[in-house]
């Protein structure tokens, strides 16, 4: 299972209320395609984020570096038999995301700090990840979980998502656990609206988005998940 996908898009994030999110759902569902896995209540997204021993990726995000990256494992169900190993990079105004499908067994090896399994994937991306994670001493830092409702348009690779109930843990890295003990890291009324597109946003989509009051944000879910330990000097890591 060594399929690689790559996308390069612009990405904007906004914080909206639950009431606004409900209104946006009604508007978007009338004119956009809904993700096949996305019912009204959305679907689970769970990611385990890696970082260097001295939290380089977290620090560069907080300091607003022009180039920065995140490395994560992502699943959509605790009973999944595979995972996506992803690197997401900020390149100027664009976001580049590369994904490698790996087995559950290899995901568990990565979580335990055994990265040699990446050498069994005969592609340059897996090799790049292997050397980065080995040389820069990457290790698991936190798990983030939330509910996502997603819409898409094939033109310009437009994708709009509504993410709510963001929770995290920095104490348990069992990505496939059926009973993961998580704590909330976002306000109960906050929903993160993400707009991702290639080149430019179609005018009718832009008009739809103008119907809601939005607060632009650069906060990442990873940084939200690390906020408790970072504010206490690592006491809870």
């Amino acid at each position: 299972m060594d399929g690689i996908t790559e996308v390069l898009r612009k990405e904007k994030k906004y914080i909206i209320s639950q009431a606004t999110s409900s209104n946006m759902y009604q508007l978007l569902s009338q004119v956009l395609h809904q993700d096949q896995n996305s019912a009204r209540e959305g679907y689970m997204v769970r990611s385990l984020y890696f970082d260097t021993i001295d939290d380089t990726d977290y620090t560069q995000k907080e300091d607003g570096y022009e180039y920065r990256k995140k490395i994560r494992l992502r699943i959509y169900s605790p009973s999944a038999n595979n995972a996506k190993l992803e690197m997401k990079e900020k390149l100027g105004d664009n976001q580049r995301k590369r994904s490698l499908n790996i087995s559950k067994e290899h995901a568990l090896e990565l979580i335990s700090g055994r990265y040699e399994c990446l050498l069994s994937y005969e592609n340059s991306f897996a090799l790049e990840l292997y050397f980065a994670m080995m040389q820069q001493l990457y290790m698991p830092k936190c798990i983030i979980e939330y509910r996502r409702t997603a819409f898409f348009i094939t033109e310009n690779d437009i994708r709009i998502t509504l993410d709510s109930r963001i929770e995290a843990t920095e104490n348990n890295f069992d990505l496939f656990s059926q009973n993961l003990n998580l704590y909330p890291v976002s306000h109960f009324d906050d929903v993160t609206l993400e707009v991702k597109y290639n080149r430019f946003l179609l005018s009718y989509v832009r008009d739809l988005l103008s119907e809601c009051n939005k607060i632009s944000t650069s906060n990442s879910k990873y940084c939200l998940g690390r906020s408790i330990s970072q504010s206490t000097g690592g006491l809870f890591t």
Side-chain angles (χ1 to χ4, degrees):
M1 223 176 348
D2 58 355
I4 298 174
T5 60
E6 179 175 347
V7 293
L8 182 66
R9 296 182 294 203
K10 299 184 185 299
E11 182 176 304
K12 297 184 181 298
K13 296 182 180 180
Y14 305 95
I15 301 299
I16 60 177
S17 67
Q18 290 281 355
T20 301
S21 175
S22 181
N23 291 336
M24 285 303 302
Y25 177 87
Q26 297 299 328
L27 287 171
L28 294 172
S29 61
Q30 293 177 28
V31 294
L32 273 66
H33 304 291
Q34 191 164 354
D35 189 291
Q36 61 180 358
N37 299 312
S38 181
R40 178 64 182 90
E41 65 276 9
Y43 58 91
M44 185 202 83
V45 180
R46 182 185 288 179
S47 301
L48 185 150
Y49 287 86
F50 297 83
D51 208 333
T52 66
I53 193 169
D54 56 354
D55 293 323
T56 299
D57 296 347
Y58 174 88
T59 302
Q60 291 184 351
K61 166 62 179 174
E62 290 293 279
D63 291 344
Y65 275 50
E66 186 69 16
Y67 171 83
R68 51 187 185 265
K69 69 180 183 301
K70 290 179 287 191
I71 298 176
R72 68 192 181 199
L73 281 169
R74 172 163 288 187
I75 62 172
Y76 300 96
S77 169
S79 59
N81 292 317
N82 52 71
K84 288 184 177 181
L85 178 60
E86 299 183 330
M87 179 187 287
K88 192 170 183 181
E89 300 165 280
K90 178 74 164 58
L91 304 170
D93 293 334
N94 294 308
Q95 298 275 355
R96 181 193 191 193
K97 184 176 74 174
R98 287 177 287 168
S99 303
L100 173 68
N101 290 321
I102 66 173
S103 67
K104 178 179 179 179
E105 291 72 25
H106 283 171
L108 293 173
E109 288 185 32
L110 295 178
I111 294 169
S112 67
R114 291 175 288 149
Y115 303 140
E116 290 78 10
C117 62
L118 293 174
L119 298 176
S120 66
Y121 297 87
E122 297 180 356
N123 59 70
S124 59
F125 178 51
L127 194 62
E128 178 184 345
L129 285 170
Y130 170 75
F131 282 113
M133 297 177 78
M134 286 290 292
Q135 293 174 352
Q136 298 175 50
L137 301 179
Y138 271 79
M139 60 186 66
K141 293 289 183 168
C142 76
I143 288 179
I144 303 290
E145 182 178 309
Y146 51 91
R147 303 299 299 183
R148 165 165 283 181
T149 304
F151 299 88
F152 70 93
I153 307 173
T154 54
E155 293 84 1
N156 283 5
D157 195 19
I158 296 172
R159 186 169 174 83
I160 299 175
T161 57
L162 298 164
D163 299 337
S164 60
R165 292 158 44 191
I166 304 173
E167 299 177 306
T169 179
E170 295 178 87
N171 300 314
N172 187 343
F173 303 134
D174 186 359
L175 184 64
F176 298 91
S177 172
Q178 295 284 348
N179 298 292
L180 195 60
N181 188 20
L182 301 162
Y183 49 81
V185 293
S186 64
H187 191 276
F188 72 92
D189 192 45
D190 285 351
V191 176
T192 301
L193 167 65
E194 296 188 4
V195 185
K196 306 166 187 177
Y197 58 97
N198 192 2
R199 298 189 299 278
F200 62 90
L201 195 59
L202 297 176
S203 59
Y204 76 90
V205 177
R206 189 169 57 247
D207 291 342
L208 280 174
L209 294 171
S210 69
E211 294 295 319
C212 70
N213 294 320
K214 308 182 293 292
I215 301 173
S216 179
T217 181
S218 62
N219 285 345
S220 74
K221 298 180 181 72
Y222 171 56
C223 289
L224 282 175
R226 299 298 312 281
S227 59
I228 292 181
S229 68
Q230 294 297 317
S231 65
T232 56
L235 181 62
F236 294 98
T237 58

